[in-house]
Amino acid sequence: MTKFQDFEFLTKQSSNNLADIPDNEDLRKLYTWVGPVLLALNPRQPNSDLYDCCRQDRFINPLNNARPELLEPHVFAVAAKARYRLACGLGKVHQVIVISGDSGSGKTFSACKILNFLAATDLSSCDGMESTISKIGKACSVVSSFSTASTERNQHSSRHGQLVQLQYVNGSIHGAVINSFLLEQSRVTGACNNFHIFGQMLAGLSDSELGTLKLSRTILYEIIANDSHSILNEAYVKGFKETVEAMNYLRIGENQRNDIFKVIALLLHLRNIQFHERLSVGCDVDVQKKGSLS
Protein backbone atom coordinates (compact mmCIF):
# COMPACT_ATOMS: atom_id res chain seq x y z
CA MET A 1 0.00 0.00 0.00
CA THR A 2 1.38 3.42 -0.89
CA LYS A 3 1.99 6.08 1.74
CA PHE A 4 -0.43 8.51 0.09
CA GLN A 5 -3.62 6.66 -0.75
CA ASP A 6 -5.84 9.68 -1.22
CA PHE A 7 -5.65 13.26 -2.50
CA GLU A 8 -6.50 14.57 0.97
CA PHE A 9 -2.78 14.73 1.73
CA LEU A 10 -2.56 17.89 -0.40
CA THR A 11 -4.36 19.84 2.31
CA LYS A 12 -1.31 19.29 4.49
CA GLN A 13 1.08 20.71 1.93
CA SER A 14 2.18 24.33 1.87
CA SER A 15 1.73 24.50 -1.92
CA ASN A 16 -1.61 24.25 -3.70
CA ASN A 17 0.02 24.12 -7.13
CA LEU A 18 -0.11 20.66 -8.74
CA ALA A 19 2.97 21.56 -10.78
CA ASP A 20 4.97 21.52 -7.55
CA ILE A 21 4.00 17.96 -6.65
CA PRO A 22 6.71 16.10 -8.60
CA ASP A 23 9.42 18.16 -6.85
CA ASN A 24 8.25 17.32 -3.34
CA GLU A 25 10.52 14.70 -1.75
CA ASP A 26 7.55 13.10 0.04
CA LEU A 27 5.53 12.61 -3.16
CA ARG A 28 7.55 10.21 -5.26
CA LYS A 29 4.60 7.94 -6.04
CA LEU A 30 3.27 8.28 -9.57
CA TYR A 31 -0.38 7.63 -8.74
CA THR A 32 -2.88 8.85 -6.17
CA TRP A 33 -6.67 8.76 -5.83
CA VAL A 34 -8.82 11.87 -6.13
CA GLY A 35 -12.01 10.22 -4.93
CA PRO A 36 -12.85 7.76 -7.76
CA VAL A 37 -10.44 9.53 -10.15
CA LEU A 38 -6.83 8.44 -10.56
CA LEU A 39 -4.23 11.20 -10.82
CA ALA A 40 -1.04 10.21 -12.68
CA LEU A 41 2.21 12.17 -12.44
CA ASN A 42 4.50 11.29 -15.34
CA PRO A 43 3.40 7.63 -15.62
CA ARG A 44 6.09 6.92 -18.25
CA GLN A 45 8.84 7.45 -15.69
CA PRO A 46 11.20 4.42 -15.80
CA ASN A 47 10.21 1.91 -13.14
CA SER A 48 11.09 -1.73 -13.68
CA ASP A 49 8.38 -3.24 -11.47
CA LEU A 50 5.55 -0.72 -11.76
CA TYR A 51 3.85 -2.51 -14.67
CA ASP A 52 5.31 -6.04 -14.52
CA CYS A 53 3.43 -9.34 -14.23
CA CYS A 54 3.61 -9.42 -10.44
CA ARG A 55 1.95 -6.01 -10.27
CA GLN A 56 -0.73 -7.14 -12.71
CA ASP A 57 -1.48 -10.24 -10.63
CA ARG A 58 -2.34 -8.08 -7.60
CA PHE A 59 -5.26 -6.55 -9.50
CA ILE A 60 -6.34 -9.63 -11.47
CA ASN A 61 -7.27 -11.41 -8.23
CA PRO A 62 -11.09 -11.04 -7.96
CA LEU A 63 -10.91 -11.11 -4.14
CA ASN A 64 -8.91 -7.88 -4.22
CA ASN A 65 -11.30 -6.26 -6.68
CA ALA A 66 -14.27 -7.08 -4.44
CA ARG A 67 -13.00 -4.35 -2.11
CA PRO A 68 -12.09 -1.62 -4.65
CA GLU A 69 -11.60 0.95 -1.90
CA LEU A 70 -8.58 -1.05 -0.74
CA LEU A 71 -6.85 -1.08 -4.12
CA GLU A 72 -3.64 0.92 -4.26
CA PRO A 73 -3.68 3.85 -6.70
CA HIS A 74 -2.58 2.50 -10.06
CA VAL A 75 -3.79 2.53 -13.67
CA PHE A 76 -4.38 -1.23 -13.34
CA ALA A 77 -6.78 -0.52 -10.45
CA VAL A 78 -8.99 1.61 -12.70
CA ALA A 79 -9.19 -1.17 -15.30
CA ALA A 80 -9.69 -3.87 -12.64
CA LYS A 81 -12.59 -2.05 -10.98
CA ALA A 82 -14.36 -1.43 -14.31
CA ARG A 83 -13.95 -5.05 -15.38
CA TYR A 84 -15.05 -6.41 -12.00
CA ARG A 85 -18.25 -4.34 -12.01
CA LEU A 86 -18.99 -5.36 -15.59
CA ALA A 87 -18.33 -9.08 -15.02
CA CYS A 88 -20.37 -9.14 -11.79
CA GLY A 89 -23.22 -7.03 -13.15
CA LEU A 90 -22.72 -4.29 -10.57
CA GLY A 91 -23.96 -0.76 -11.19
CA LYS A 92 -24.32 0.46 -14.78
CA VAL A 93 -24.60 -2.00 -17.65
CA HIS A 94 -21.69 -0.28 -19.40
CA GLN A 95 -18.40 0.81 -17.85
CA VAL A 96 -16.44 3.79 -19.19
CA ILE A 97 -12.80 4.74 -18.61
CA VAL A 98 -11.92 8.30 -19.64
CA ILE A 99 -8.24 9.20 -20.01
CA SER A 100 -7.60 12.92 -20.14
CA GLY A 101 -4.63 15.23 -19.77
CA ASP A 102 -2.26 17.75 -21.33
CA SER A 103 -0.05 16.92 -24.33
CA GLY A 104 2.72 14.59 -23.26
CA SER A 105 1.05 13.65 -19.97
CA GLY A 106 0.91 9.95 -20.83
CA LYS A 107 -2.64 9.42 -22.16
CA THR A 108 -1.62 7.03 -24.94
CA PHE A 109 0.79 5.25 -22.61
CA SER A 110 -1.92 4.78 -19.98
CA ALA A 111 -4.38 3.49 -22.58
CA CYS A 112 -1.85 0.88 -23.71
CA LYS A 113 -1.25 -0.23 -20.12
CA ILE A 114 -4.99 -0.62 -19.56
CA LEU A 115 -5.33 -2.72 -22.72
CA ASN A 116 -2.33 -4.84 -21.71
CA PHE A 117 -3.86 -5.42 -18.28
CA LEU A 118 -7.25 -6.39 -19.71
CA ALA A 119 -5.47 -8.75 -22.12
CA ALA A 120 -3.64 -10.41 -19.22
CA THR A 121 -6.91 -10.70 -17.26
CA ASP A 122 -8.70 -12.17 -20.25
CA LEU A 123 -5.95 -14.72 -20.85
CA SER A 124 -5.92 -15.77 -17.20
CA SER A 125 -9.63 -16.63 -17.41
CA CYS A 126 -9.41 -18.46 -20.76
CA ASP A 127 -6.75 -21.06 -20.01
CA GLY A 128 -4.11 -19.35 -22.12
CA MET A 129 -6.23 -18.94 -25.26
CA GLU A 130 -5.26 -16.07 -27.52
CA SER A 131 -7.20 -13.01 -26.44
CA THR A 132 -9.15 -10.82 -28.81
CA ILE A 133 -7.74 -7.83 -27.00
CA SER A 134 -4.27 -8.68 -28.29
CA LYS A 135 -5.58 -7.89 -31.75
CA ILE A 136 -7.15 -4.71 -30.42
CA GLY A 137 -3.76 -3.62 -29.10
CA LYS A 138 -2.16 -4.26 -32.50
CA ALA A 139 -4.95 -2.35 -34.23
CA CYS A 140 -4.37 0.61 -31.91
CA SER A 141 -0.66 0.43 -32.75
CA VAL A 142 -1.39 0.68 -36.48
CA VAL A 143 -3.84 3.54 -35.94
CA SER A 144 -1.16 5.32 -33.88
CA SER A 145 1.32 5.28 -36.78
CA PHE A 146 -1.24 7.01 -38.99
CA SER A 147 -2.41 9.54 -36.39
CA THR A 148 0.48 10.56 -34.12
CA ALA A 149 3.47 12.81 -34.64
CA SER A 150 6.41 14.01 -32.57
CA THR A 151 6.68 17.37 -30.81
CA GLU A 152 9.32 18.93 -28.59
CA ARG A 153 7.51 17.59 -25.53
CA ASN A 154 6.16 14.30 -26.80
CA GLN A 155 7.48 11.74 -29.29
CA HIS A 156 3.98 10.34 -29.84
CA SER A 157 1.63 13.30 -29.70
CA SER A 158 -1.84 12.24 -30.80
CA ARG A 159 -3.51 14.24 -33.53
CA HIS A 160 -6.71 12.29 -32.96
CA GLY A 161 -9.27 11.24 -30.43
CA GLN A 162 -9.96 7.55 -30.03
CA LEU A 163 -12.87 5.57 -28.63
CA VAL A 164 -12.22 1.86 -28.01
CA GLN A 165 -15.39 -0.10 -27.24
CA LEU A 166 -14.74 -3.55 -25.78
CA GLN A 167 -17.58 -6.06 -26.08
CA TYR A 168 -17.77 -8.52 -23.18
CA VAL A 169 -19.66 -11.83 -23.15
CA ASN A 170 -19.69 -13.86 -19.92
CA GLY A 171 -16.78 -11.89 -18.51
CA SER A 172 -14.48 -12.23 -21.54
CA ILE A 173 -13.80 -9.93 -24.48
CA HIS A 174 -15.35 -11.20 -27.71
CA GLY A 175 -14.98 -8.15 -29.92
CA ALA A 176 -14.27 -4.45 -30.18
CA VAL A 177 -15.00 -1.32 -32.17
CA ILE A 178 -12.32 1.35 -32.60
CA ASN A 179 -13.39 4.87 -33.63
CA SER A 180 -10.69 7.43 -34.43
CA PHE A 181 -11.25 11.03 -35.48
CA LEU A 182 -8.87 13.85 -36.39
CA LEU A 183 -8.63 16.60 -33.77
CA GLU A 184 -5.86 18.92 -34.91
CA GLN A 185 -5.94 19.26 -38.68
CA SER A 186 -4.12 22.60 -38.55
CA ARG A 187 -1.12 21.00 -36.84
CA VAL A 188 -0.92 18.34 -39.54
CA THR A 189 -1.18 20.72 -42.49
CA GLY A 190 0.75 23.59 -40.86
CA ALA A 191 4.29 24.07 -39.61
CA CYS A 192 4.42 20.93 -37.44
CA ASN A 193 5.68 17.39 -37.77
CA ASN A 194 3.39 15.20 -39.84
CA PHE A 195 2.17 11.69 -39.10
CA HIS A 196 4.82 9.10 -38.24
CA ILE A 197 3.85 6.79 -41.09
CA PHE A 198 5.41 9.06 -43.73
CA GLY A 199 8.84 9.00 -42.11
CA GLN A 200 8.45 5.34 -41.17
CA MET A 201 7.77 4.28 -44.72
CA LEU A 202 10.64 6.28 -46.25
CA ALA A 203 13.02 4.95 -43.61
CA GLY A 204 11.79 1.36 -43.47
CA LEU A 205 11.19 0.34 -47.08
CA SER A 206 14.09 -1.08 -49.09
CA ASP A 207 15.57 0.86 -52.01
CA SER A 208 13.83 -1.43 -54.50
CA GLU A 209 10.47 -1.01 -52.75
CA LEU A 210 10.90 2.76 -52.73
CA GLY A 211 11.81 2.62 -56.42
CA THR A 212 8.58 0.78 -57.21
CA LEU A 213 6.69 3.64 -55.59
CA LYS A 214 8.86 6.24 -57.38
CA LEU A 215 10.12 7.48 -54.02
CA SER A 216 13.63 8.33 -52.89
CA ARG A 217 15.30 9.17 -49.60
CA THR A 218 17.25 11.95 -51.34
CA ILE A 219 14.14 13.93 -52.38
CA LEU A 220 12.67 16.53 -50.04
CA TYR A 221 8.95 15.89 -49.74
CA GLU A 222 6.96 18.97 -48.81
CA ILE A 223 4.45 16.99 -46.75
CA ILE A 224 7.20 16.24 -44.21
CA ALA A 225 9.39 19.29 -44.86
CA ASN A 226 8.75 20.61 -41.32
CA ASP A 227 9.66 17.35 -39.59
CA SER A 228 12.44 17.83 -37.07
CA HIS A 229 13.72 14.26 -37.54
CA SER A 230 15.75 12.81 -40.39
CA ILE A 231 13.96 10.08 -42.33
CA LEU A 232 16.87 7.83 -41.35
CA ASN A 233 16.01 8.31 -37.69
CA GLU A 234 16.27 5.03 -35.75
CA ALA A 235 12.81 5.57 -34.27
CA TYR A 236 11.29 5.63 -37.78
CA VAL A 237 13.06 2.41 -38.79
CA LYS A 238 11.94 0.65 -35.61
CA GLY A 239 8.44 2.12 -35.84
CA PHE A 240 7.98 0.91 -39.41
CA LYS A 241 9.03 -2.62 -38.44
CA GLU A 242 6.51 -2.62 -35.58
CA THR A 243 3.76 -1.25 -37.86
CA VAL A 244 4.33 -3.99 -40.45
CA GLU A 245 4.45 -6.66 -37.72
CA ALA A 246 1.14 -5.37 -36.34
CA MET A 247 -0.38 -5.48 -39.83
CA ASN A 248 0.79 -9.07 -40.24
CA TYR A 249 -0.71 -9.98 -36.87
CA LEU A 250 -4.02 -8.50 -38.01
CA ARG A 251 -3.77 -10.55 -41.21
CA ILE A 252 -3.39 -7.52 -43.44
CA GLY A 253 -1.76 -9.28 -46.38
CA GLU A 254 1.12 -8.13 -48.53
CA ASN A 255 -1.16 -6.98 -51.36
CA GLN A 256 -3.26 -4.90 -48.95
CA ARG A 257 -0.13 -3.40 -47.37
CA ASN A 258 1.23 -2.49 -50.78
CA ASP A 259 -2.05 -0.76 -51.65
CA ILE A 260 -1.79 1.25 -48.40
CA PHE A 261 1.81 2.22 -49.17
CA LYS A 262 0.76 3.30 -52.68
CA VAL A 263 -1.79 5.71 -51.20
CA ILE A 264 0.85 7.13 -48.82
CA ALA A 265 3.30 7.48 -51.72
CA LEU A 266 0.61 9.28 -53.73
CA LEU A 267 0.17 11.80 -50.91
CA LEU A 268 3.92 12.39 -50.81
CA HIS A 269 3.99 13.02 -54.57
CA LEU A 270 0.84 15.16 -54.67
CA ARG A 271 2.12 17.55 -52.01
CA ASN A 272 5.21 18.22 -54.15
CA ILE A 273 3.14 19.43 -57.11
CA GLN A 274 3.31 23.22 -57.38
CA PHE A 275 1.04 25.58 -59.27
CA HIS A 276 1.20 29.07 -60.70
CA GLU A 277 -1.67 31.44 -61.36
CA ARG A 278 -2.84 32.15 -64.87
CA LEU A 279 -3.06 35.69 -66.08
CA SER A 280 -6.78 35.13 -66.37
CA VAL A 281 -8.68 32.82 -64.03
CA GLY A 282 -7.42 29.60 -62.53
CA CYS A 283 -3.98 28.02 -62.31
CA ASP A 284 -1.70 25.51 -64.00
CA VAL A 285 0.84 22.98 -62.80
CA ASP A 286 4.25 24.65 -62.65
CA VAL A 287 6.18 22.30 -64.93
CA GLN A 288 9.36 24.28 -64.25
CA LYS A 289 9.45 22.90 -60.73
CA LYS A 290 11.12 19.51 -60.56
CA GLY A 291 8.87 18.30 -57.78
CA SER A 292 5.79 18.80 -59.97
CA LEU A 293 7.09 16.22 -62.44
CA SER A 294 8.64 13.64 -60.11
Side-chain angles (χ1 to χ4, degrees), residues 67-129:
R67 299 282 305 277
E69 70 277 6
L70 299 181
L71 291 176
E72 65 176 293
H74 196 285
V75 68
F76 292 161
V78 175
K81 289 194 290 185
R83 186 186 185 282
Y84 178 79
R85 290 167 180 163
L86 188 67
C88 296
L90 304 176
K92 300 290 186 179
V93 176
H94 304 293
Q95 295 293 315
V96 179
I97 299 175
V98 178
I99 304 174
S100 180
D102 196 8
S103 177
S105 61
K107 297 185 294 296
T108 301
F109 176 87
S110 296
C112 288
K113 291 303 177 185
I114 287 175
L115 286 172
N116 289 341
F117 173 81
L118 292 175
T121 308
D122 213 28
L123 287 172
S124 69
S125 62
C126 296
D127 298 325
M129 294 178 61

Side-chain angles (χ1 to χ4, degrees), residues 32-194:
T32 188
W33 291 120
V34 188
V37 177
L38 182 71
L39 175 66
L41 304 175
N42 189 20
R44 293 175 298 176
Q45 182 175 310
N47 193 321
S48 59
D49 62 353
L50 189 60
Y51 304 104
D52 63 10
C53 294
C54 292
R55 187 67 64 118
Q56 285 185 348
D57 290 342
R58 296 187 197 177
F59 298 97
I60 290 176
N61 188 337
L63 295 178
N64 293 339
N65 298 335
R67 299 282 305 277
E69 70 277 6
L70 299 181
L71 291 176
E72 65 176 293
H74 196 285
V75 68
F76 292 161
V78 175
K81 289 194 290 185
R83 186 186 185 282
Y84 178 79
R85 290 167 180 163
L86 188 67
C88 296
L90 304 176
K92 300 290 186 179
V93 176
H94 304 293
Q95 295 293 315
V96 179
I97 299 175
V98 178
I99 304 174
S100 180
D102 196 8
S103 177
S105 61
K107 297 185 294 296
T108 301
F109 176 87
S110 296
C112 288
K113 291 303 177 185
I114 287 175
L115 286 172
N116 289 341
F117 173 81
L118 292 175
T121 308
D122 213 28
L123 287 172
S124 69
S125 62
C126 296
D127 298 325
M129 294 178 61
E130 181 182 11
S131 174
T132 302
I133 202 169
S134 297
K135 296 180 181 179
I136 300 170
K138 294 296 184 182
C140 289
S141 176
V142 173
V143 171
S144 177
S145 294
F146 286 81
S147 58
T148 62
S150 60
T151 66
E152 292 182 359
R153 296 178 55 188
N154 185 4
Q155 283 295 103
H156 299 282
S157 178
S158 297
R159 300 287 189 261
H160 70 121
Q162 188 164 289
L163 174 64
V164 180
Q165 295 175 294
L166 305 180
Q167 300 161 345
Y168 276 82
V169 177
N170 297 326
S172 297
I173 298 171
H174 280 242
V177 177
I178 301 175
N179 295 301
S180 185
F181 47 93
L182 188 63
L183 289 178
E184 298 176 296
Q185 183 175 353
S186 61
R187 295 184 68 181
V188 174
T189 58
C192 293
N193 293 350
N194 214 314

Side-chain angles (χ1 to χ4, degrees), residues 6 23 31 40 53 68 121 137 139 142 144 174-175 181 197 220 224 283:
D6 195 279
D23 297 325
Y31 295 108
C53 294
T121 308
V142 173
S144 177
H174 280 242
F181 47 93
I197 190 60
L220 175 63
I224 56 172
C283 61

Side-chain angles (χ1 to χ4, degrees), residues 222-286:
E222 292 295 328
I223 202 169
I224 56 172
N226 295 312
D227 281 18
S228 56
H229 300 301
S230 164
I231 60 170
L232 298 179
N233 185 284
E234 283 288 333
Y236 281 154
V237 177
K238 180 181 178 182
F240 183 74
K241 182 179 179 181
E242 292 174 349
T243 298
V244 172
E245 288 176 351
M247 287 179 170
N248 287 334
Y249 189 89
L250 295 170
R251 298 181 181 179
I252 299 176
E254 183 177 358
N255 291 336
Q256 289 176 295
R257 290 202 309 273
N258 289 338
D259 288 341
I260 293 171
F261 295 154
K262 287 177 183 178
V263 173
I264 297 171
L266 177 63
L267 294 174
L268 287 163
H269 288 304
L270 283 175
R271 185 62 180 84
N272 271 22
I273 297 176
Q274 298 186 40
F275 300 86
H276 61 77
E277 291 187 35
R278 296 174 183 168
L279 294 177
S280 54
V281 180
C283 61
D284 293 306
V285 174
D286 190 347

